[in-house]
Amino acid sequence: MNSSFVVGIDVGGQTSKIGVVDARGTVLAQTVIRTDTYSEVEPYIAELADAVNKLIKDSGTEGKIRGVGVGAPNGNYYTGTIEAAPNLTWGRNKVEFAQLLTDALELPVVLTNDANAAAVGEMTYGAAKGMKNFIMITLGTGVGSGIVINGQVVYGHDGFAGELGHTIAVRNNGRTCGCGRTGCLETYCSATGVARTAREWLELSDEPSLLRGLDKIASKDVYDAAKEGDKLALKIFEFTGKILGRSFADFIAFSAPEAIVLFGGLARSKEFLLEPMETAMNENVLGLWKNKVKIVFSELKESDAAILGASALAWEI
Amino acid sequence: MNSSFVVGIDVGGQTSKIGVVDARGTVLAQTVIRTDTYSEVEPYIAELADAVNKLIKDSGTEGKIRGVGVGAPNGNYYTGTIEAAPNLTWGRNKVEFAQLLTDALELPVVLTNDANAAAVGEMTYGAAKGMKNFIMITLGTGVGSGIVINGQVVYGHDGFAGELGHTIAVRNNGRTCGCGRTGCLETYCSATGVARTAREWLELSDEPSLLRGLDKIASKDVYDAAKEGDKLALKIFEFTGKILGRSFADFIAFSAPEAIVLFGGLARSKEFLLEPMETAMNENVLGLWKNKVKIVFSELKESDAAILGASALAWEI
């Protein structure tokens, strides 16, 4: 048996992306199913297994699959479970995800959270290739993170390490977070956080802006306005970048990474975020790291990245 | 040759402690030399080497020493150098410490910073025995840290990881730190920080306190006053513990440790620090870690601990 392919699955709140990947990181075939049509995990797993088996068959890799890597919100590497994932319709209680999928596919399955999967993908195929120490920050609906030390993802004592989106960025009068606390980094620096800043600032000032009068503001609207030179939109990215950079300064004191690697929808606003982020990071970091830590952006094709990251885990099985 | 002993050296600003240690962590013999009588490193190394050789001879372990472990401020594990150590009279520039000592002793030498050495000591012989994931915090003149993940000290890309005393505890109007920035954890939660809190609060209020009228306040005075039930002193420890606990909550989000291990002069105020520290940590930590991470105190005899920590490094040579 020549097991030279892996399957990567990226479980998102709405959809699950599945791909068959070779050792060079080429996605040979991919498909998508809905994640949110079930309130119980079993029928979802059944549909997922069907889709995986069909994809393996269609790509001619039957009998050649080494294993399956899954990135999912709150996925635990040690236990293979998903716990208390508010964005998964079937994941609010504890779900034995890896075991269920192993049983359905008769293939080894390894699971971790989506940001850790992204870190492995970046290290195996992307911007962090060759790096042994870096911090992956995913700027999406929330802020996720995957920390790599000595070439290994940090899982910690319980498998849940790397929740940097939930470190406290604003200690007093911080914004309420979905986690029940206030001031978390992700309430400011996620796509949602950027939209929130826009809404707050529009209400607090009379400053003219292209964002005024929009029915519902998303981070993409802020990006589009910044592109047009809208001053308020530019200030929003400056503010967002500054908070990120300040937090990065503290993260660096922890693990002294070679780089911070950014990925996710909001990272596409690189042209507006990079400069304030770098400035704040270097202004706030301990002297010995000033101007020494790189901020780099993912080089993976966004449609493939999540699958690649998850699949990369399966090479370690 | 039966290499069953190691030498541990703890380089402090004033004195350097040297010990010969066996595999069970027994300090067979120890001695002390001054650190601060030289402005150049070479004569210091010569005196240190003489003292080490004498100690080896006196303890009857000649020819049986596997190696030498050194814990020193700003000691770099990768390069064996000490750089920009403000508290070492001969260490303000870059010093090739490990190489110089290897040449002088004709023994392998491994160097790291004092907090990392303490972490290794605690893991090998102390409160963290059997733990694979913990964070060591040393509460002394400053706040040092050693982070252990998967049983290994985190050195990071450049060898300087684990400067948690220089994460920002107070973002706005924070206290000026020796590092040139403001708001660092160590400006509040070191022995010096506690004394500073006392001086600030005495000036800002008229509250009666045993601390009033003292010529020069040290953290030990605050401890003694708290022991007498002095309300202001008790409030100072409550404040200190709260800031520590809040910071621990963020550290936990990074590496999900099993425990936070405290060591150092200020840690002796356990009876006043523990409760506010635990309360603040559990109030501020992300839900999944609430009441799950232990705060433990070093179990090593303080006079031996620094030597043991440094010596433990040498077993890995």
Side-chain angles (χ1 to χ4, degrees), chain A residues 3 18 21 23 42 61 98 136 145 155 169 172 180 200 202 209 222-223 231 257 272 286-287 295-296 300 307 309:
Chain A
S3 294
I18 310 160
V21 179
E42 288 79 7
T61 55
M136 178 93 203
S145 67
Y155 295 110
N172 298 310
E200 273 186 26
L202 285 168
S209 167
V222 186
Y223 175 79
K231 278 191 187 156
F272 305 119
L286 189 61
I295 296 179
V296 299
L300 297 178
I307 289 173

Side-chain angles (χ1 to χ4, degrees), chain A residues 2-295:
Chain A
N2 178 6
S3 294
S4 48
F5 301 92
V6 287
V7 172
I9 303 175
D10 173 56
V11 178
Q14 273 114 51
T15 61
S16 300
K17 300 187 189 94
I18 310 160
V20 174
V21 179
D22 72 11
R24 285 187 293 184
T26 311
V27 181
L28 301 184
Q30 55 178 300
T31 186
V32 177
I33 66 165
R34 299 287 308 179
T35 309
D36 57 1
T37 38
Y38 302 103
S39 58
E40 297 296 324
V41 70
E42 288 79 7
Y44 164 75
I45 291 279
E47 194 191 330
L48 183 64
D50 284 349
V52 170
N53 282 327
K54 185 168 181 309
L55 197 69
I56 291 173
K57 204 170 170 192
D58 292 353
S59 60
T61 55
E62 265 178 307
K64 297 179 185 167
I65 301 292
R66 182 192 287 222
V68 180
V70 184
N74 292 21
N76 188 310
Y77 180 79
Y78 292 143
T79 59
T81 55
I82 296 176
E83 263 180 83
N87 299 325
L88 298 175
T89 47
W90 42 261
R92 274 147 206 168
N93 297 316
K94 188 171 176 172
V95 163
E96 302 282 344
F97 195 97
Q99 191 56 54
L100 290 168
L101 192 58
T102 299
D103 293 347
L105 289 173
E106 294 178 2
L107 281 171
V109 173
V110 59
L111 171 79
T112 190
N113 78 36
D114 34 3
N116 286 341
V120 176
E122 221 53 62
M123 181 166 56
T124 315
Y125 310 111
K129 215 167 166 173
M131 286 188 199
K132 295 229 167 263
N133 293 278
F134 67 97
I135 298 176
M136 178 93 203
I137 302 280
T138 60
L139 302 171
T141 316
V143 173
S145 67
I147 299 157
V148 174
I149 290 176
N150 274 339
Q152 310 238 283
V153 173
V154 174
Y155 295 110
H157 178 57
D158 57 9
F160 289 117
E163 284 290 351
L164 301 185
H166 293 284
T167 54
I168 304 304
V170 176
R171 188 70 66 187
N172 298 310
N173 296 315
R175 290 179 184 164
T176 304
C177 184
C179 75
R181 301 175 307 149
T182 61
C184 291
L185 182 62
E186 83 167 28
T187 65
Y188 294 89
C189 300
S190 57
T192 329
V194 165
R196 210 162 155 180
T197 305
R199 288 193 301 272
E200 273 186 26
W201 289 13
L202 285 168
E203 207 174 301
L204 287 172
S205 88
D206 290 327
E207 189 173 337
S209 167
L210 296 169
L211 296 168
R212 248 175 234 292
L214 285 185
D215 215 24
K216 217 182 148 190
I217 296 174
S219 66
K220 177 72 167 60
D221 300 315
V222 186
Y223 175 79
D224 290 341
K227 271 285 204 195
E228 300 286 317
D230 187 84
K231 278 191 187 156
L232 190 77
L234 289 166
K235 271 196 282 184
I236 291 167
F237 280 115
E238 224 178 280
F239 172 77
T240 310
K242 184 180 159 184
I243 293 189
L244 277 171
R246 286 191 331 195
S247 289
F248 293 170
D250 280 347
F251 302 163
I252 292 168
F254 206 100
S255 68
E258 179 176 354
I260 291 181
V261 183
L262 300 178
F263 176 75
L266 188 62
R268 266 174 278 164
S269 305
K270 174 179 172 176
E271 58 193 295
F272 305 119
L273 281 176
L274 183 57
E275 198 274 326
M277 221 160 36
E278 279 188 330
T279 304
M281 179 176 83
N282 287 314
E283 272 176 12
N284 284 278
V285 82
L286 189 61
L288 70 103
W289 291 299
K290 220 175 265 293
N291 302 312
K292 289 209 175 137
V293 180
K294 293 174 276 190
I295 296 179

Side-chain angles (χ1 to χ4, degrees), chain B residues 277-288:
Chain B
M277 222 162 32
E278 279 187 330
T279 304
M281 178 177 83
N282 287 315
E283 271 176 14
N284 284 277
V285 81
L286 189 61
L288 71 101

